[in-house]
Amino acid sequence: MISQNCLHDALSYGKCFTGLGRPADYIPELARVNKHQLGVCIVSLDGEILKEGAYDRPFTIQSISKLVSLILALHDRGGEYLFQDKVGVEPTGDPFNSIIKLETRTRPFNPFINAGAITVASCIEGKDTEERFGRFLTYIRHLCNNDEIYLNENVYLSEKSTGDRNRALAYYLKASGILEGDVEECLDFYFRMCSVDVTALDIANLSAVLANHGTNPFTGENLIEPSCAKALRALMLTCGMYDGSGRFAMKVGFPAKSGVGGGIAAVVVDRMGIGVYGPALDEKGNSIGGIKILEYLAKKLDCSLF
Amino acid sequence: MISQNCLHDALSYGKCFTGLGRPADYIPELARVNKHQLGVCIVSLDGEILKEGAYDRPFTIQSISKLVSLILALHDRGGEYLFQDKVGVEPTGDPFNSIIKLETRTRPFNPFINAGAITVASCIEGKDTEERFGRFLTYIRHLCNNDEIYLNENVYLSEKSTGDRNRALAYYLKASGILEGDVEECLDFYFRMCSVDVTALDIANLSAVLANHGTNPFTGENLIEPSCAKALRALMLTCGMYDGSGRFAMKVGFPAKSGVGGGIAAVVVDRMGIGVYGPALDEKGNSIGGIKILEYLAKKLDCSLF
Amino acid sequence: MISQNCLHDALSYGKCFTGLGRPADYIPELARVNKHQLGVCIVSLDGEILKEGAYDRPFTIQSISKLVSLILALHDRGGEYLFQDKVGVEPTGDPFNSIIKLETRTRPFNPFINAGAITVASCIEGKDTEERFGRFLTYIRHLCNNDEIYLNENVYLSEKSTGDRNRALAYYLKASGILEGDVEECLDFYFRMCSVDVTALDIANLSAVLANHGTNPFTGENLIEPSCAKALRALMLTCGMYDGSGRFAMKVGFPAKSGVGGGIAAVVVDRMGIGVYGPALDEKGNSIGGIKILEYLAKKLDCSLF
Amino acid sequence: MISQNCLHDALSYGKCFTGLGRPADYIPELARVNKHQLGVCIVSLDGEILKEGAYDRPFTIQSISKLVSLILALHDRGGEYLFQDKVGVEPTGDPFNSIIKLETRTRPFNPFINAGAITVASCIEGKDTEERFGRFLTYIRHLCNNDEIYLNENVYLSEKSTGDRNRALAYYLKASGILEGDVEECLDFYFRMCSVDVTALDIANLSAVLANHGTNPFTGENLIEPSCAKALRALMLTCGMYDGSGRFAMKVGFPAKSGVGGGIAAVVVDRMGIGVYGPALDEKGNSIGGIKILEYLAKKLDCSLF
């Protein structure tokens, strides 16, 4: 399907661009990483795993966790309710942490901007944050085939203590009747889910499940409803790369979700899941080297949807 | 200067309009008042006091407290710092609780919209909320010539428990580096200062001090720096009636500050302070009967600035 | 591949929804159509043509013409220049005729909102409007396999006389240095290209060329650069259905471009082009029956990209 | 009332600041002036005229003409209609040429931002632009006591050929049903009225009429309805200095209207009219030296309203 050489070349190509970006700097834990790190991992649906570079380097999952929380919320509430009453499914031209449209439109535009993801987080069931986060952790371990996925306590505490912009979004949503339950509990869950440590390998496994219509390609266990996996792939394509999703669709052309920790989860349906890690970000908040690797692979493997 | 008859007529005129408005309804304490109440009180600088209607009916001061907190903050920090680094002095066409411009301009437009008033509140010195609110209470009692001004505990608790829109503003300001200190402490102070019970007479006394260049007309005690009183009068004229300030300047024409509790503090410089109370509000959040009383008086007393 | 029966059922299904929408009403020519009309046509890449309902009913192409003008502009100027300097490729959460983001971001977000399409129109070469529109007409006739495609003179004149919102966009773009050349000439071309009469069959033929990587499936003639056809398919998916593109991607899942005349051009890559016509629009400006037909076909033919 | 020495000192003070600003540069005619020019003229209501510096240097009136056109439109249509249906009387925090709020609020916020002034211009009666501009010219000559006021043909042609941002506003207003009549004719009038040459002396005369409740202090002729003069003074205070009106009210404190040609018309009611000219503008578009002169005079003459 794809040779180790090809993956090696993809990584080398990506490395040419890491100097042009910079790591997220809103918390010291993210700011002090080596921005030239780059890793990639491919999990094909026939069980082959290919890896290159810093594929096993842990990083915080950040916004990629929004995939997992959305699946949980869709399971708990159903798409009918969630996408009608709580959050839209439309891309927005605004940055991921923008608050402006909440004043004019009430409902967040989609589940991948922060306002939408916080809303979704408030819809996950559980008697308290502990229980909700426990469900999240159990679930993501299944999706990533890795029982060793844990919270990065330092990042979590940093996120929590500096997360005032997200707090503003959450209280605004509460005031508008969108966010359910207690705001600080919801935010506590949100900051935790963003602060889980993963590797490119973990992310590739998660993506492979999405590529395989929700079924773990190794165990055959169904982890996501096929229709839900399909909805997620569509959302990832239109909204997954923040306000750079349009360009990514044109240049790469398959569903992906990025996080400011430097990860990108990418899905080649019926073929493979790809995980990349590169903490140097472009001005939209997407991994600059990661995008270049995916561009390279999309061309070599001819796997753009377009 | 002005006869009791004239004031009586002003009140009667105002009463014709109370049916067109409605009380603030975001907390039950405000919603359940009799909207036809109307009162007015004039304190002239030569010490005469005229009163009509529900002039001694207590109501929560709400945004009129922004005058008092601004004076305290100007005293503690100076106008140079406050109006340069923290808050502008420009009217904005947006509603008083709007968050939109914070994303594009950072600094709140003026100290009378909620975002600006919360910022100002965070600049008042004191080792804790207790001390800050103690200073506020002592000071407003001096300004209003009334030692019996207290917190309305029920309104305070209601404001605090429903104040998520203000919380959103505060956390947004914190995230932008505008708001100083602890957000929840600042909000606690803010909710308290808005929940103080006053009467139209109290408000008239406060306004008389502003009309008298900062000096209490009865005691001769200087309570506000003259330059500060002048700055406040200018700000009241351009920004004091929310996004209805332009029309108020044209129709009435002197400095005023309204609150959603139904009060308006109005200043006829070198002549008198006026306090009105009427909880039926127009769509901008200003007392509808109160504005009509002031319109009537402005004409009768020929005291528009224009 | 697909039976006539299946297409018949799709049409019947779509007919259930036409009552919920209404035709565009900004000009009388559009307002007075029978809103229950519905037609569909499929052109498969092996040359089969299936049609149902009002497939040969002429309607004005409106925004579907933006595909054609974009191809011409990309040919004349190249994607490097066009997508860098003139127009973005990102979806925007705003309505198709919004002007707000032009003040904060200068460049239109994408070529399918009106501001972007007017910009693109200004980049098509030709010594005057006549020549530019001549090129457009010749080209669309090739794409649609139909030499009988003409301007609808009445609609054109109506569009021109009522097009003040588009005029505002164009002059704003001119003032910002985005729009090239003469504004009124550009608008004249824009109004003409939107006022060309086509049928669902024409649109299906055009879509089949996009599905076939730019090559006419009947003649084998290459009409669009394959890379350009690919870019268009990506853009159609993220931005083609106005601010309803996200939901369409989730529910239907292939590239499409709608027009307020009631048409939708839809592309199932490597398989077929689909043209639908149904003038009853939803609140986003998309054919309500047309979307339902495409939803039905996407499910039956299993041709979502996701 | 005021000595020549005092005025001389005011000018000297203002000169310290001209280096900090720069002339409007959107047309060459404005850009190429000597930015250190500064002049001031005072016309007191008892007929005294004091002048200093470049008081007789012609400059284009620009936005100060909005006073004159507003008086004409109020005369032709009445305030009831104009301020209800066509244009608001509220300050806006946006720049004078902003288009954003037209999309969310329809009616321009006030008659002194460009959108509002263009709307007002469309309400002036006259069978064609010639007649309307003839009325304007006759009227402004009366207001300025100067029969030699003419159109600056070069500036007019430049304004007309580069006025695409204003064209965008006008077509947007037409599309929203706000602007009356033919757009290009309205703009032609608007560009002409902005391109009239005046001096600081002319502007001082005009301001003196406003200070004198509408009556020419020399001839005793009533030129403006007193209630209209009053409405204008209120509007000038809240909206006359663009989005710098709040600061101007606080620092200077009387009604004024500026233009990007460098002029400011300032009104000290019952006392005097002041005209200043200084083409170096601050970032809001107001004469930087002119504001300083007015600040100086407000303090020396103790003529702030606050």
Side-chain angles (χ1 to χ4, degrees):
Chain A
M1 161 196 84
I2 168 173
S3 67
Q4 190 72 38
N5 269 355
C6 170
L7 199 60
H8 180 82
D9 291 350
L11 192 88
S12 302
Y13 179 66
K15 287 233 169 188
C16 306
F17 299 90
T18 55
L20 302 174
R22 45 181 217 167
D25 56 6
Y26 64 95
I27 54 170
E29 286 77 7
L30 294 181
R32 66 173 164 241
V33 301
N34 169 7
K35 77 170 183 174
H36 295 293
Q37 292 175 96
L38 203 58
V40 55
C41 182
I42 293 183
V43 172
S44 71
L45 299 198
D46 53 17
E48 199 185 352
I49 300 181
L50 284 170
K51 25 202 184 182
E52 274 287 329
Y55 73 90
D56 60 353
R57 171 95 200 164
F59 59 91
T60 47
I61 188 169
Q62 298 295 345
S63 291
I64 304 174
S65 67
K66 293 170 183 175
L67 294 171
V68 181
S69 56
L70 180 56
I71 303 169
L72 284 173
L74 284 168
H75 173 271
D76 290 354
R77 303 301 181 93
E80 201 65 34
Y81 171 76
L82 206 68
F83 291 139
Q84 206 67 46
D85 292 8
K86 291 293 165 182
V87 68
V89 295
E90 293 304 328
T92 157
D94 298 317
F96 63 90
N97 59 0
S98 181
I99 203 163
I100 290 179
K101 285 219 176 86
L102 294 187
E103 189 157 318
T104 47
R105 309 280 187 93
T106 313
R107 223 179 46 163
F109 261 57
N110 68 61
F112 293 157
I113 53 171
N114 288 11
I118 290 168
T119 302
V120 165
S122 85
C123 295
I124 294 175
E125 282 173 11
K127 69 172 196 297
D128 56 17
T129 305
E130 216 58 53
E131 184 175 313
R132 277 192 287 271
F133 185 62
R135 288 182 65 201
F136 176 88
L137 212 52
T138 302
Y139 191 49
I140 196 172
R141 286 170 178 174
H142 274 89
L143 290 167
C144 295
N145 264 344
N146 180 358
D147 283 348
E148 306 287 306
I149 290 178
Y150 290 108
L151 181 69
N152 182 322
E153 197 79 30
N154 287 337
V155 169
Y156 161 58
L157 294 173
S158 251
E159 294 279 355
K160 193 168 181 174
S161 73
T162 62
D164 290 322
R165 182 89 175 240
N166 285 322
R167 234 168 234 115
L169 291 167
Y171 280 108
Y172 203 99
L173 290 161
K174 182 74 187 175
S176 309
I178 298 289
L179 189 142
E180 305 190 358
D182 183 78
V183 174
E184 290 295 338
E185 271 185 38
C186 168
L187 284 166
D188 192 22
F189 173 81
Y190 180 76
F191 291 134
R192 288 197 213 186
M193 81 179 206
C194 289
S195 304
V196 156
D197 265 339
V198 291
T199 64
L201 170 58
D202 294 330
I203 292 302
N205 273 312
L206 183 159
S207 302
V209 177
L210 284 164
N212 200 30
H213 304 278
T215 296
N216 183 316
F218 299 102
T219 65
E221 188 185 6
N222 182 260
L223 295 168
I224 313 169
E225 271 286 292
S227 66
C228 171
K230 184 179 162 185
L232 257 80
R233 290 191 303 262
L235 264 174
M236 291 166 83
L237 194 102
T238 54
C239 315
M241 302 297 280
Y242 305 129
D243 50 332
S245 299
R247 183 162 291 272
F248 187 83
M250 192 180 271
K251 294 280 185 187
V252 181
F254 44 72
K257 179 76 207 80
S258 64
V260 293
I264 305 177
V267 176
V268 184
V269 70
D270 290 326
R271 291 177 65 183
M272 66 187 95
I274 310 176
V276 294
Y277 166 60
L281 308 179
D282 63 21
E283 79 285 354
K284 309 275 188 180
N286 297 317
S287 172
I288 204 165
I291 286 182
K292 286 300 177 178
I293 288 177
L294 295 171
E295 244 183 85
Y296 188 95
L297 291 175
K299 202 167 287 176
K300 282 289 169 190
L301 304 176
D302 189 26
C303 57
S304 165
L305 294 174
F306 304 106
Chain B
M1 161 197 84
I2 167 174
S3 68
Q4 190 72 38
N5 270 354
C6 171
L7 199 60
H8 180 82
D9 291 350
L11 193 87
S12 301
Y13 179 65
K15 286 232 170 188
C16 308
F17 299 90
T18 55
L20 302 173
R22 46 181 219 167
D25 55 7
Y26 64 95
I27 55 172
E29 287 77 7
L30 294 181
R32 66 174 164 238
V33 302
N34 168 6
K35 77 172 183 174
H36 295 293
Q37 292 176 96
L38 203 58
V40 56
C41 183
I42 293 184
V43 172
S44 72
L45 299 198
D46 54 17
E48 200 185 350
I49 300 181
L50 285 170
K51 24 201 183 183
E52 274 287 329
Y55 73 91
D56 59 354
R57 171 93 201 167
F59 59 91
T60 48
I61 188 168
Q62 298 295 346
S63 290
I64 305 174
S65 67
K66 293 171 183 175
L67 293 170
V68 182
S69 57
L70 179 57
I71 304 170
L72 285 173
L74 284 167
H75 173 272
D76 290 354
R77 304 301 181 92
E80 201 65 34
Y81 171 76
L82 206 67
F83 291 139
Q84 207 64 50
D85 293 7
K86 291 292 165 184
V87 68
V89 294
E90 294 303 329
T92 157
D94 299 317
F96 63 89
N97 60 0
S98 180
I99 203 163
I100 290 180
K101 284 218 176 87
L102 295 187
E103 188 158 320
T104 47
R105 308 282 186 92
T106 311
R107 225 177 44 162
F109 260 59
N110 68 62
F112 293 158
I113 53 171
N114 288 10
I118 291 168
T119 301
V120 165
S122 84
C123 296
I124 293 174
E125 281 174 12
K127 69 173 193 299
D128 56 17
T129 305
E130 217 55 57
E131 184 175 313
R132 276 191 289 270
F133 184 63
R135 289 183 64 202
F136 175 89
L137 212 51
T138 303
Y139 191 49
I140 196 172
R141 286 169 177 174
H142 274 89
L143 290 167
C144 295
N145 265 343
N146 180 358
D147 283 349
E148 306 287 306
I149 290 177
Y150 291 108
L151 181 67
N152 182 322
E153 198 80 27
N154 288 335
V155 170
Y156 160 59
L157 293 173
S158 251
E159 294 279 355
K160 193 168 179 172
S161 71
T162 62
D164 291 322
R165 181 89 174 239
N166 284 323
R167 234 167 234 116
L169 291 168
Y171 280 108
Y172 202 99
L173 289 161
K174 182 74 188 176
S176 309
I178 298 289
L179 189 143
E180 303 191 0
D182 182 79
V183 175
E184 290 296 337
E185 273 186 36
C186 169
L187 284 166
D188 192 23
F189 172 82
Y190 180 76
F191 291 134
R192 288 197 212 187
M193 82 179 204
C194 289
S195 304
V196 155
D197 265 340
V198 291
T199 65
L201 170 58
D202 295 329
I203 292 301
N205 273 313
L206 182 160
S207 301
V209 177
L210 284 165
N212 200 30
H213 306 278
T215 296
N216 183 316
F218 300 101
T219 65
E221 189 185 4
N222 181 261
L223 295 168
I224 312 170
E225 272 286 292
S227 67
C228 171
K230 184 179 161 184
L232 258 79
R233 290 191 303 264
L235 264 173
M236 289 165 85
L237 194 102
T238 54
C239 315
M241 302 297 280
Y242 304 129
D243 49 333
S245 299
R247 183 161 293 271
F248 188 84
M250 192 180 272
K251 294 281 183 186
V252 181
F254 42 73
K257 180 75 209 81
S258 65
V260 294
I264 305 178
V267 176
V268 185
V269 72
D270 290 326
R271 291 176 67 182
M272 66 187 92
I274 310 175
V276 294
Y277 166 60
L281 308 179
D282 64 19
E283 78 287 355
K284 310 275 187 181
N286 297 315
S287 171
I288 204 164
I291 286 182
K292 287 299 177 178
I293 290 178
L294 295 172
E295 243 183 86
Y296 188 95
L297 291 174
K299 202 167 287 178
K300 282 289 168 190
L301 303 174
D302 189 26
C303 57
S304 165
L305 295 173
F306 303 108
Chain C
M1 162 194 87
I2 169 174
S3 67
Q4 190 72 36
N5 270 354
C6 170
L7 198 61
H8 181 81
D9 291 349
L11 193 87
S12 301
Y13 178 67
K15 286 232 169 189
C16 307
F17 299 90
T18 54
L20 303 174
R22 44 182 221 168
D25 55 5
Y26 64 95
I27 54 172
E29 286 77 7
L30 294 181
R32 66 174 164 239
V33 300
N34 169 7
K35 77 171 182 174
H36 294 292
Q37 291 175 98
L38 203 59
V40 55
C41 183
I42 293 183
V43 172
S44 72
L45 299 198
D46 54 16
E48 199 184 353
I49 300 181
L50 285 170
K51 23 201 184 182
E52 274 287 329
Y55 74 88
D56 59 352
R57 172 95 199 163
F59 58 92
T60 48
I61 188 167
Q62 300 293 347
S63 290
I64 306 174
S65 67
K66 294 170 183 175
L67 293 171
V68 182
S69 56
L70 180 56
I71 304 169
L72 285 173
L74 284 168
H75 173 272
D76 290 354
R77 302 303 180 93
E80 200 67 34
Y81 171 78
L82 205 67
F83 291 139
Q84 205 67 48
D85 293 8
K86 291 294 165 183
V87 68
V89 294
E90 295 301 330
T92 157
D94 298 318
F96 63 89
N97 59 359
S98 180
I99 202 164
I100 290 181
K101 285 221 175 84
L102 294 187
E103 188 158 318
T104 48
R105 311 279 187 93
T106 312
R107 225 178 42 162
F109 260 58
N110 68 62
F112 293 156
I113 54 172
N114 288 11
I118 291 167
T119 302
V120 165
S122 84
C123 295
I124 294 174
E125 281 173 13
K127 70 172 195 299
D128 56 17
T129 305
E130 216 56 56
E131 184 174 314
R132 277 192 287 270
F133 184 63
R135 286 184 64 203
F136 175 89
L137 213 50
T138 303
Y139 190 48
I140 197 173
R141 287 170 177 174
H142 275 89
L143 290 168
C144 297
N145 265 343
N146 179 357
D147 283 349
E148 304 289 305
I149 290 177
Y150 290 108
L151 182 68
N152 181 322
E153 197 80 28
N154 288 337
V155 170
Y156 160 60
L157 293 173
S158 250
E159 294 279 355
K160 192 168 179 171
S161 73
T162 62
D164 290 322
R165 181 90 173 238
N166 285 322
R167 233 167 235 117
L169 291 168
Y171 281 108
Y172 203 99
L173 290 160
K174 183 73 186 176
S176 309
I178 298 288
L179 189 143
E180 303 190 1
D182 182 78
V183 174
E184 290 296 338
E185 273 186 37
C186 168
L187 284 166
D188 192 22
F189 172 82
Y190 180 77
F191 292 133
R192 289 197 211 187
M193 82 179 204
C194 289
S195 304
V196 155
D197 266 339
V198 290
T199 64
L201 170 59
D202 294 330
I203 292 302
N205 273 313
L206 183 159
S207 301
V209 177
L210 284 165
N212 200 28
H213 305 277
T215 296
N216 184 317
F218 300 101
T219 65
E221 188 185 3
N222 182 262
L223 294 168
I224 312 169
E225 271 287 292
S227 67
C228 171
K230 183 180 161 182
L232 258 79
R233 289 191 303 262
L235 264 172
M236 290 165 85
L237 194 102
T238 55
C239 316
M241 301 297 281
Y242 304 129
D243 49 333
S245 299
R247 184 163 291 272
F248 188 84
M250 193 181 271
K251 295 279 184 189
V252 181
F254 44 71
K257 180 77 208 81
S258 65
V260 294
I264 305 177
V267 176
V268 185
V269 69
D270 289 327
R271 292 175 66 182
M272 66 186 94
I274 310 175
V276 294
Y277 166 61
L281 308 180
D282 63 21
E283 78 286 355
K284 311 275 188 182
N286 297 315
S287 171
I288 205 165
I291 286 183
K292 287 298 177 180
I293 289 178
L294 294 171
E295 244 183 85
Y296 189 95
L297 291 175
K299 203 168 287 178
K300 283 286 170 192
L301 304 175
D302 189 26
C303 57
S304 165
L305 294 174
F306 303 107
Chain D
M1 165 195 83
I2 169 174
S3 68
Q4 190 72 39
N5 269 353
C6 171
L7 198 61
H8 180 82
D9 291 350
L11 192 87
S12 302
Y13 179 66
K15 288 234 169 186
C16 306
F17 299 90
T18 54
L20 302 173
R22 43 181 221 168
D25 56 6
Y26 64 94
I27 55 171
E29 286 78 6
L30 294 181
R32 66 174 165 240
V33 301
N34 169 6
K35 76 170 182 174
H36 295 292
Q37 291 175 99
L38 203 59
V40 55
C41 182
I42 292 183
V43 172
S44 71
L45 299 198
D46 53 16
E48 198 185 354
I49 299 181
L50 285 171
K51 23 200 186 182
E52 275 286 330
Y55 73 90
D56 60 353
R57 171 94 199 164
F59 59 93
T60 47
I61 189 169
Q62 300 292 349
S63 291
I64 305 174
S65 66
K66 294 170 182 175
L67 294 171
V68 182
S69 56
L70 179 57
I71 304 170
L72 286 172
L74 283 167
H75 173 271
D76 290 355
R77 303 301 179 95
E80 201 67 33
Y81 171 77
L82 206 67
F83 291 139
Q84 206 65 49
D85 292 8
K86 291 294 165 184
V87 68
V89 294
E90 295 303 328
T92 157
D94 298 318
F96 63 90
N97 59 1
S98 181
I99 203 164
I100 290 180
K101 285 219 176 82
L102 295 187
E103 188 158 320
T104 48
R105 310 280 188 93
T106 312
R107 222 179 45 163
F109 260 59
N110 69 61
F112 293 158
I113 53 170
N114 288 11
I118 290 167
T119 301
V120 165
S122 84
C123 295
I124 294 174
E125 281 173 12
K127 68 172 198 296
D128 56 17
T129 305
E130 217 56 56
E131 185 175 313
R132 276 192 288 270
F133 184 63
R135 288 182 65 203
F136 175 89
L137 212 51
T138 303
Y139 190 49
I140 196 171
R141 287 169 177 173
H142 275 89
L143 289 167
C144 296
N145 266 343
N146 181 357
D147 283 349
E148 305 288 307
I149 290 178
Y150 291 108
L151 181 68
N152 181 321
E153 197 78 30
N154 287 336
V155 169
Y156 161 59
L157 293 173
S158 250
E159 294 279 355
K160 193 168 179 172
S161 72
T162 63
D164 291 321
R165 181 89 174 238
N166 285 323
R167 235 168 234 115
L169 291 168
Y171 280 108
Y172 203 99
L173 290 161
K174 184 72 186 176
S176 310
I178 298 289
L179 189 143
E180 304 189 0
D182 182 79
V183 174
E184 290 296 337
E185 272 186 37
C186 169
L187 284 166
D188 192 22
F189 172 82
Y190 180 76
F191 291 133
R192 287 197 214 187
M193 83 179 203
C194 290
S195 304
V196 157
D197 265 338
V198 291
T199 64
L201 171 58
D202 295 329
I203 291 302
N205 273 313
L206 182 160
S207 302
V209 177
L210 284 165
N212 200 29
H213 305 277
T215 297
N216 184 317
F218 300 101
T219 65
E221 186 185 7
N222 182 260
L223 295 168
I224 313 170
E225 271 287 292
S227 66
C228 171
K230 184 179 160 185
L232 258 79
R233 290 191 302 264
L235 264 173
M236 290 165 84
L237 194 102
T238 55
C239 315
M241 301 297 280
Y242 305 128
D243 48 334
S245 299
R247 183 162 292 272
F248 189 84
M250 192 181 271
K251 296 278 185 190
V252 181
F254 44 70
K257 181 76 208 82
S258 64
V260 294
I264 305 178
V267 176
V268 185
V269 70
D270 289 326
R271 292 175 67 183
M272 67 187 94
I274 310 175
V276 294
Y277 166 61
L281 308 179
D282 63 20
E283 78 286 355
K284 310 276 188 181
N286 297 316
S287 171
I288 204 164
I291 286 183
K292 288 298 176 179
I293 289 178
L294 295 171
E295 242 182 86
Y296 188 95
L297 292 174
K299 202 168 287 176
K300 282 288 170 192
L301 304 174
D302 189 26
C303 58
S304 165
L305 295 174
F306 303 107

